Amino acid sequence: VAPLVNILAETRRPGFAEFSGIGLFRTEFAILGAGRFPSVDEQLAHYRLIANAVPGKEVCFRLYDIAPDKPIGHNPKRVYGARYLVEHPAVLDDQLTALLILSAERPVDILVPMVETPSDWRFVADRTALCAERIRDLIGPTPLAYRLGAMIETRRAIAAMTQFHGAAFFSIGSN
């Protein structure tokens, strides 16, 4: 059993070490109310704390899932999930960079939120590959241990998921 975690404090509950890892860390909860997206260094430090809460166990980090119930940053187009990340590639790149640096230290799963279209999936997958290439150029031959998956939360996504080429895993949401 690997629970859903919203904030670091949840990993300090009695018995948490007995879990098999973190099934889903909802990264957006760490920045609600901050009024800004954190830097790569700030994200990396926070993600290390989360990962260190379950040493040697699996952790799945969901990319920022911007939604009406989780307003973060400027969103005049009212786009959510993966579409928000596509519309804000600098936000996506910073978060991917932090998570991919962490993947040089330990395996991580990266989950793309509310993917609905093959084009949104392809954009995020391509950005992930580009960020990984940049990190390899900086750190050298250290392997990056990550899997990229898609969160399926709508009928539209179910119909399109066979076109999410390269997805290492799927997570089914309940929207």
Side-chain angles (χ1 to χ4, degrees):
V1 173
L4 176 146
V5 173
N6 293 320
I7 59 173
L8 180 61
E10 293 174 1
T11 67
R12 298 184 182 123
R13 291 181 300 208
F16 193 86
E18 303 304 314
F19 289 120
S20 63
I22 296 174
L24 177 66
F25 179 68
R26 296 169 21 161
T27 61
E28 65 276 5
F29 279 80
I31 62 170
L32 284 176
R36 67 177 182 84
F37 289 98
S39 70
V40 170
D41 290 339
E42 290 170 319
Q43 290 181 68
L44 179 58
H46 187 69
Y47 301 153
R48 280 182 175 138
L49 290 173
I50 295 297
N52 290 338
V54 288
K57 297 179 181 180
E58 291 185 18
V59 180
C60 179
F61 293 91
R62 182 175 66 194
L63 297 175
Y64 295 134
D65 187 13
I66 308 306
D69 62 327
K70 297 172 272 182
I72 300 169
H74 187 63
N75 191 5
K77 292 184 179 179
R78 298 186 188 280
V79 292
Y80 306 107
R83 171 67 10 201
Y84 183 90
L85 299 172
V86 169
E87 297 279 336
H88 298 85
V91 170
L92 174 63
D93 288 356
D94 282 357
Q95 190 172 31
L96 286 171
T97 297
L99 289 168
L100 291 167
I101 290 170
L102 182 62
S103 81
E105 301 167 10
R106 60 158 299 140
V108 297
D109 285 347
I110 301 170
L111 182 61
V112 182
M114 202 166 85
V115 182
E116 291 194 294
T117 67
S119 62
D120 284 355
W121 168 256
R122 180 58 23 220
F123 182 87
V124 176
D126 288 348
R127 296 304 285 201
T128 303
L130 179 65
C131 289
E133 184 178 314
R134 289 179 186 156
I135 290 164
R136 285 186 190 100
D137 288 345
L138 290 173
I139 66 172
T142 303
L144 303 181
Y146 71 93
R147 297 185 322 147
L148 186 66
M151 189 156 208
I152 307 300
E153 300 185 73
T154 66
R155 288 184 177 133
R156 184 176 181 192
I158 291 169
M161 66 189 283
T162 60
Q163 298 173 58
F164 298 163
H165 303 292
F169 65 97
F170 293 98
S171 178
I172 307 301
S174 60
N175 283 353

